[in-house]
Amino acid sequence: MPTAPARFIDIHVVQSVPFANLNRDDTNSVKTVQYGNTLRTRVSSQSWKRAIRGAFEQQVGDAALRTRRIGERVTKLLQERGWPVDLAERAGAHLAAASSIKFELAKDGDRQQIANKVLTNAMVYVPEAAVVELADLAQEHRETLESAKDIKKPADKSVLPKEPVERVLRSRNGVINLFGRMLAEVDEAGVDGAVQVAHAMTTHPTDVELDYFSAVDDVTAVWGDSSGSGHMGHAEFSAGTFYRYATLDLRDLAHNAGGTPQELRELAHGFLQAFITSLPQAKKNSTAAHTIPDLVHVSVRSDRPLSYAAAFEQPVSAAIEGGYGAPSREALAGYARAANTMLGTRHILTAGWTSLETKTLQGLGERHDAFDDLLTAALDAALAQPSGSAA
């Protein structure tokens, strides 16, 4: 039996995705990776993390804002509070220029700088509530702003005090405590993320397909006075069964968030639930690839995170009757069984799975009927220690 406290919650997903392009590169092509000497379809961790973040924020009702346009965002709020447009724009500009982050000014169609339209050179990443705090700060210094000059060039200085603005930029919420924040320009604003997310990849070789399309001109179609389409083009798509993996470091989350065990549980549950249900939204209007996982496996470990990606280094072959889902589920279970035999199971506090699969899969722990049951069992085991021991 394990004696060390829980440290990592590993989550593994096998998910089939039909004809789609969830994540494009700079040429609008499907992202790929060469693995096991075969070409796989890939979805970057950044892409899937954005989808996870959106689902997480919706669940917990606590959003974060990542932007270079924090000044404009505050300007909008000040206008909603009844400030004159010119003064609201000046206030937003001075707030954006007040921190240690360098800035530039947005340009119009003639490439001329627009006064008071400040773009920070680094994206700030703050709780949505920070916008209100910055607007309140502007309210506190309204008289100073009324007599200040506009920000017209990057060398202009803000009339607002630096420290109160940077204190707001250092604020954090559950999203930032989970995913971390890179903001080197402001002292002590950086946060090491508590979650690590792998790039998703197909468990088997895939081909990228070119989809030729054309758009009918309705007037031409009715009048019949010309041939051909109104528009034509092509786009890239692929389909396949993906392996997805992430790990949540409970010690890092406790360090970032502090709080009570119940608050840690809510953050961990929100992340795991969002990881299961989220899907990148690229090309959704033309593909609607809104699938759910075929299988979810969760393991709570005390020693180290453990990815099962190597289960698919040798690409799975389609079943005799077709399909990669069942062979992928069996490959995952087989690898988990072998890996845990080799490593030993003393570092596993609990493991479980749920799936559309009707057969029993040995090696993945206890079977649960629903995602909620699986997560409840995992979090009960992970957070069962006295307060603070997970950290």
Side-chain angles (χ1 to χ4, degrees):
M1 292 291 291
T3 55
R7 173 74 189 276
F8 299 98
I9 302 179
D10 286 343
I11 182 165
H12 312 260
V13 167
V14 173
Q15 183 166 355
S16 293
V17 178
F19 191 73
N21 186 348
L22 299 180
N23 182 210
R24 291 167 280 177
D25 66 14
D26 59 332
T27 63
N28 278 331
S29 298
V30 172
K31 287 189 174 180
T32 58
V33 61
Q34 191 80 13
Y35 186 57
N37 200 34
T38 57
L39 191 67
R40 322 290 183 92
T41 296
R42 175 175 63 91
V43 178
S44 73
S45 59
Q46 297 90 339
S47 171
W48 218 303
K49 275 198 290 189
R50 178 163 178 79
I52 296 167
R53 177 188 145 197
F56 175 85
E57 290 178 348
Q58 193 168 20
Q59 285 180 46
V60 303
D62 187 12
L65 181 66
R66 184 169 58 188
T67 182
R68 294 181 64 200
R69 304 171 65 183
I70 188 68
E72 291 179 70
R73 183 65 183 84
V74 177
T75 292
K76 183 177 180 183
L77 178 57
L78 291 173
Q79 288 181 250
E80 291 170 357
R81 289 182 177 184
W83 281 45
V85 173
D86 290 350
L87 182 58
E89 290 178 343
R90 187 187 304 154
H94 278 267
L95 283 164
S99 76
S100 301
I101 306 173
K102 294 182 179 178
F103 66 91
E104 61 187 7
L105 292 165
K107 295 178 180 176
D108 60 20
D110 297 323
R111 309 297 298 166
Q112 299 300 308
Q113 294 184 139
I114 305 172
N116 290 332
K117 204 159 187 176
V118 170
L119 301 173
T120 54
N121 287 356
M123 286 203 287
V124 303
Y125 193 18
V126 291
E128 182 73 32
V131 176
V132 175
E133 295 181 46
L134 291 173
D136 291 344
L137 192 59
Q139 184 68 48
E140 183 181 336
H141 294 273
R142 179 163 179 160
E143 288 186 10
T144 303
L145 290 164
E146 286 174 339
S147 59
K149 295 180 179 178
D150 291 338
I151 299 287
K152 295 182 177 179
K153 56 184 183 298
D156 287 347
K157 303 295 183 185
S158 174
V159 297
L160 297 176
K162 173 180 169 182
E163 180 49 35
V165 173
E166 294 201 338
R167 186 168 59 246
V168 176
L169 298 185
R170 290 189 198 100
S171 61
R172 55 173 74 168
N173 62 359
V175 179
I176 295 167
N177 288 328
L178 275 168
F179 295 99
R181 174 170 60 199
M182 176 72 77
L183 189 58
E185 291 81 357
V186 177
D187 290 344
E188 301 180 357
V191 180
D192 291 330
V195 299
Q196 302 166 30
V197 180
H199 290 226
M201 66 175 180
T202 54
T203 62
H204 53 87
T206 54
D207 292 323
V208 176
E209 299 182 23
L210 283 176
D211 179 51
Y212 167 80
F213 65 90
S214 61
V216 174
D217 185 310
D218 287 340
V219 172
T220 300
V222 172
W223 290 358
D225 59 351
S226 180
S227 61
S229 64
H231 174 74
M232 66 181 68
H234 70 272
E236 294 190 8
F237 298 89
S238 71
T241 298
F242 286 81
Y243 170 67
R244 302 167 49 210
Y245 167 74
T247 186
L248 170 60
D249 188 326
L250 293 168
R251 180 185 298 176
D252 285 351
L253 183 60
H255 172 77
N256 289 347
T260 64
Q262 181 59 32
E263 289 169 333
L264 291 180
R265 186 184 183 100
E266 290 172 0
L267 289 174
H269 183 274
F271 167 73
L272 295 170
Q273 184 75 30
F275 185 82
I276 292 171
T277 59
S278 64
L279 192 79
Q281 300 293 295
K283 294 281 188 182
K284 67 177 182 180
N285 289 347
S286 57
T287 60
H290 303 300
T291 60
I292 60 172
D294 301 358
L295 178 147
V296 177
H297 168 52
V298 177
S299 178
V300 179
R301 303 183 64 91
S302 63
D303 56 342
R304 50 155 291 172
L306 181 59
S307 165
Y308 294 160
F312 309 107
E313 195 271 343
Q314 178 177 339
V316 301
S317 300
I320 294 174
E321 62 276 18
Y324 291 103
S328 298
R329 295 191 290 270
E330 291 170 1
L332 183 78
Y335 185 86
R337 198 163 54 244
N340 289 323
T341 298
M342 188 163 62
L343 287 172
T345 58
R346 65 186 183 281
H347 298 297
I348 302 176
L349 281 77
T350 189
W353 62 288
T354 186
S355 175
L356 301 171
E357 175 67 69
T358 56
K359 294 190 301 185
T360 297
L361 296 173
Q362 300 293 335
L364 299 181
E366 181 182 357
R367 179 165 192 164
H368 299 273
D369 292 334
F371 294 145
D372 284 344
D373 300 335
L374 175 65
L375 298 187
T376 296
L379 291 171
D380 284 348
L383 302 172
Q385 291 78 30
S387 178
S389 61

